[in-house]
Amino acid sequence: MLIHLECTRCGEHYPADRPQTVCSKDGGVLYARYDLPAIKKAFSPGRLAGRAPTMWRYDAVLPAADPVSLGEGFTPMLPSREFPNVYIKDEGLNPTGSFKARGLSACVTMAKYFGLKKLAIPSAGNAAGALAAYSAAAGLEAHIFMPKDVPQANRIECDYYGAHVNLIDGLISDCAKKVAELKAGESWSKDGWFDVSTTKEPYRVEGKKTMGYEVAEQLGWRLPQGIIYPTGGGVGLLGMWKAFEEMEALGWISPGKPGSERPKMITVQSAGCAPVVKAWEEGKPSAEMWTNAATLASGLRVPKPYGDYLILDILKKSHGTAVSATDDEILEATRHWARTEGIFAAPEGAACLVAYRKLRASGFFKPEDTVVLFNTGNGLKYLDVLDASVARAPSPATTAANPAVRHIGGIIGPY
Ligand SMILES: [Zn+2]
């Protein structure tokens, strides 16, 4: 049912029967386009019942290739214990502990289908782990280019999955430069190399769009009023918006019917690297390269997302907004979620809580609005980062109310 790929800038069509990167005319991101009227006739949400709880349950709207799957997707939609009408979509329960599993499952599936051999990725960390795992499952080579200060878990998992790991002294943008250098070399096409960078190939978006289908299905085919999404490369935001568009064309949701209005899409970024927030506030259609990007939320350390023009367009069309959170706010929220929700989130995910609080305080969201917050990863992948930040945090002053030690049932406990 996949008919062609379409440039999101100029609308040019490209055949979907071979590997494609970006539009050769203007560098635009390519989207997979399906024969939606035919799918509408052949498939309906009722047929999802009894299907495996993975993202491949939506294979009617995914490319027809034998999936390289580790059980990704269909993650829990947990009602917040703190805020009524708020849900936490816990993507930390995916294989490799992050939402990156979805995009890379789809991407590696297609790479295998096309007979590619060596997959290169510049990554802030979690995408590297996911590419390494899915490449191992597919019997393909993963070549990882990531900043040398990524969370330890990302480096170690890639090594264990048997990937070729290149640690770069710089940011993800510097890693992307390394991949570009490699691309210019002779062996690139000869040896079956392929660049699976965010939005520079069409299928990671397809994997991530399943989050949009899931949000709808798990809320009983009603869309929430808002979705807060930590935005580095922004693929999930693009993917979910694409899913809502497809669901309307398929008649799975009906515009005008209560519960079918598109959600306000909210980007949250770290104050230490907030190119989309800055562009949004300045009313610009694309972002500028953020200089001296620094944040403990490594997944948000993306100085300029390639799909920035699409992200900003979606924020505008959806009447959404963009919010930033400082590292201190993010750390506090990570701890708060762990204590109040029982969810040990990735710092990027916890940034959603900071954004939600700010948007409630400003009146942007009302208590009765249904809002979905995306926890994009598992806190267990950030142990070194979180541990170091605890050590850095100033210890609270010792006072009578806050003693250095406290007696608990006759035992002296450290405080
Ligand atoms: Zn184009």
Side-chain angles (χ1 to χ4, degrees):
M1 295 291 184
L2 174 58
I3 43 179
H4 57 244
L5 304 170
E6 184 183 64
C7 175
T8 51
R9 276 193 206 272
C10 70
E12 180 77 15
H13 289 184
Y14 291 85
D17 62 352
R18 67 203 74 170
Q20 298 282 7
T21 54
V22 294
C23 177
S24 55
K25 290 183 178 166
D26 53 18
V29 175
L30 301 185
Y31 272 4
R33 297 297 185 197
Y34 301 82
D35 186 348
L36 295 174
I39 297 171
K40 187 178 181 177
K41 275 189 208 141
F43 198 87
S44 65
R47 295 181 60 174
L48 291 168
R51 290 189 152 218
T54 77
M55 73 173 203
W56 294 97
R57 67 199 274 105
Y58 308 108
D59 62 1
V61 286
L62 291 169
D66 189 19
V68 177
S69 175
L70 295 167
E72 54 293 322
F74 223 68
T75 54
M77 176 82 91
L78 302 166
S80 166
R81 285 163 167 82
E82 183 178 18
F83 298 104
N85 304 313
V86 167
Y87 293 85
I88 301 164
K89 180 78 172 142
D90 196 0
E91 289 289 299
L93 295 177
N94 273 303
T96 72
S98 91
F99 69 151
K100 299 284 182 182
R102 295 176 190 264
L104 273 311
S105 172
C107 165
V108 172
T109 291
M110 294 310 287
K112 190 178 178 191
Y113 176 77
F114 289 129
L116 299 167
K117 304 279 184 244
K118 298 166 191 273
L119 307 181
I121 194 169
S123 167
N126 278 324
L131 176 67
Y134 285 93
S135 296
L140 304 180
E141 274 181 34
H143 292 260
I144 310 293
F145 296 82
M146 59 186 175
K148 65 177 187 189
D149 58 349
V150 292
Q152 208 177 24
N154 297 131
R155 187 170 48 73
I156 297 171
E157 66 179 334
C158 288
D159 181 38
Y160 267 74
Y161 288 129
H164 301 260
V165 179
N166 303 279
L167 297 174
I168 309 294
D169 192 6
L171 299 172
I172 187 171
S173 40
D174 300 296
C175 300
K177 269 182 222 151
K178 287 279 172 199
V179 174
E181 282 169 28
L182 203 65
K183 234 184 217 175
E186 260 180 27
S187 75
W188 184 262
S189 55
K190 192 168 63 116
D191 294 346
W193 281 85
F194 195 71
D195 175 6
V196 301
S197 298
T198 303
T199 55
K200 289 187 189 167
E201 66 76 53
Y203 299 106
R204 285 176 66 179
V205 174
E206 291 305 287
K208 287 275 186 77
K209 84 178 179 189
T210 59
M211 297 191 295
Y213 283 92
E214 273 177 38
V215 164
E217 184 179 358
Q218 291 175 326
L219 294 177
W221 301 105
R222 291 176 73 86
L223 296 180
Q225 272 81 47
I227 289 180
I228 306 183
Y229 188 79
T231 307
V235 178
L237 195 92
L238 309 187
M240 283 191 276
W241 195 251
K242 185 172 187 285
F244 301 145
E245 210 171 80
E246 288 174 1
M247 274 186 272
E248 277 176 15
L250 291 166
W252 295 13
I253 52 172
S254 326
K257 210 181 91 191
S260 282
E261 292 91 13
R262 301 264 189 109
K264 290 175 177 155
M265 303 299 281
I266 321 293
T267 273
V268 57
Q269 295 194 307
S270 168
C273 182
V276 174
V277 179
K278 183 169 181 282
W280 173 256
E281 284 170 354
E282 293 170 355
K284 294 193 175 143
S286 63
E288 285 162 33
M289 180 73 80
W290 188 273
T291 47
N292 303 321
T295 169
L296 63 88
S298 47
L300 298 179
R301 219 168 40 167
V302 180
K304 177 176 163 57
Y306 192 78
D308 54 354
Y309 66 102
L310 294 169
I311 298 169
L312 287 156
D313 187 48
I314 291 167
L315 299 187
K316 199 169 166 184
K317 279 186 184 149
S318 72
H319 309 288
T321 188
V323 181
S324 66
T326 66
D327 275 7
D328 284 347
E329 289 172 324
I330 291 173
L331 270 178
E332 185 278 329
T334 308
R335 192 176 286 278
H336 185 83
W337 252 3
R339 289 185 176 183
T340 57
E341 307 279 3
I343 296 170
F344 188 27
E348 295 87 344
C352 291
L353 172 61
V354 179
Y356 178 72
R357 286 173 179 157
K358 288 182 180 178
L359 295 172
R360 274 289 300 277
S362 70
F364 184 93
F365 282 130
K366 298 184 178 56
E368 61 270 26
D369 289 336
T370 302
V371 182
V372 176
L373 277 47
F374 266 84
N375 173 34
T376 46
N378 195 318
L380 291 174
K381 294 195 83 175
Y382 297 77
L383 291 181
D384 50 340
V385 179
L386 294 172
D387 200 39
S389 65
V390 169
R392 270 208 315 274
S395 54
T398 303
T399 61
N402 185 20
V405 293
R406 197 194 298 175
H407 294 275
I408 311 164
I411 303 164
I412 298 173
Y415 269 84

